[in-house]
Amino acid sequence: QVTAAEVNLGFTTIKAPISGRIGRSQVSPGDLVGPSSGDLTTLVSIDPIEALFQVSEATYIDQISQRVTANPTVDDLKNIEVTLELADGLQYPEVGQIDYFGNRIDAATGTMEARARIPNPYGLLVPGQYVRVTLQDTALKDGLFVPLAAVQADQQGAFVLVVAGDGTVQRSNAQLGERLDDMVLVTGGLQAGDRGIVRG
C-alpha cells in the first residue's frame, strides 16, 4: 500500500516540459482534477519566440530563391535576417533569422508560409502579437553602389550626372538594382571611378 501511495503521489506533480511564461491557472490548490478537467493553464515559450508570416510568390522568386539551394539547409536560411516593426511603428531592437519555409505556394493567396526565430530576452514579444516582418539578406553583395541622392529620373529613366575628364558635366543613364540603406546598386551605365554629383 505504501508503494502504491508513493506512485499515486508522483502523479500529483506536474512539471513544465519547456521554459516560458505561464498563464492564468484554471484551478485552485485543493481542487480535484483528472483527465476530464481540461486545461489547467497554458505555457508558452518566450525566448526565443517564433514569428509565422506569409511571403508573396514574387518575393520568394525575386529574393529567396536566389539565396537558397533547391534543398535549403538551416545554414542557407540563416543568410536571411528578419527585422520586426511593432504595431506602434517602433523597430524591435533584436534581429531574428529564418528557420523554415513552406513547401508550396497557396494558390488562393499566392503566398508561402515562412517562420523566423527572434531573440526575446526581455519578453517584449508575446504570442498572438501583430508585427510587420522585413526580410534582409546578410550575404555580401558585390557591385557598384552609389548614393540614392545622386540618382535622378525623368521620362527616359534613371540617370546620374557625372563629371567628365575635361571638367564638364554629362548625363549617364543608369540601370538600377536593389537598394541597401541609402545606397542603390547600379547594374549598368556607370563604371567604377566615375565621379557623380550628389548635390549642386
Side-chain angles (χ1 to χ4, degrees):
Q1 292 182 348
V2 174
T3 301
E6 290 177 344
V7 171
N8 290 332
L9 182 62
F11 292 136
T12 64
T13 301
I14 301 175
K15 296 182 179 180
I18 60 172
S19 60
R21 180 181 296 174
I22 193 170
R24 182 171 62 89
S25 176
Q26 303 298 321
V27 295
S28 301
D31 288 348
L32 179 64
V33 297
S36 61
S37 300
D39 294 336
L40 305 183
T41 187
T42 56
L43 178 67
V44 294
S45 177
I46 291 295
D47 184 28
I49 198 168
E50 295 179 346
L52 287 174
F53 55 97
Q54 303 290 324
V55 295
S56 69
E57 182 176 1
T59 297
Y60 181 79
I61 293 174
D62 293 342
Q63 299 185 24
I64 309 302
S65 62
Q66 300 176 12
R67 299 164 185 157
V68 297
T69 63
N71 297 300
T73 66
V74 173
D75 290 336
D76 292 325
L77 301 181
K78 285 183 177 178
N79 284 333
I80 305 172
E81 288 184 344
V82 170
T83 57
L84 304 181
E85 180 183 310
L86 304 181
D88 60 358
L90 293 178
Q91 191 77 14
Y92 182 67
E94 302 290 338
V95 177
Q97 292 179 323
I98 294 285
D99 72 344
Y100 161 79
F101 280 109
N103 60 3
R104 66 181 63 193
I105 299 290
D106 187 321
T109 62
T111 59
M112 173 184 287
E113 184 180 67
R115 183 182 67 199
R117 291 170 64 86
I118 301 100
N120 191 28
Y122 305 109
L124 297 178
L125 302 177
V126 295
Q129 185 173 354
Y130 172 82
V131 295
R132 184 183 298 275
V133 178
T134 301
L135 305 186
Q136 177 65 56
D137 182 23
T138 61
L140 294 177
K141 298 179 176 66
D142 293 326
L144 177 63
F145 284 85
V146 300
L148 279 171
V151 179
Q152 304 181 51
D154 58 16
Q155 293 181 346
Q156 299 180 35
F159 66 92
V160 175
L161 296 178
V162 298
V163 180
D166 59 2
T168 60
V169 176
Q170 299 179 357
R171 171 190 174 121
S172 180
N173 293 330
Q175 291 77 52
L176 305 180
E178 60 185 292
R179 294 184 180 183
L180 183 63
D181 297 328
D182 60 348
M183 307 291 285
V184 62
L185 176 65
V186 177
T187 59
L190 292 177
Q191 301 294 327
D194 286 346
R195 294 185 296 165
I197 297 177
V198 178
R199 296 185 181 88

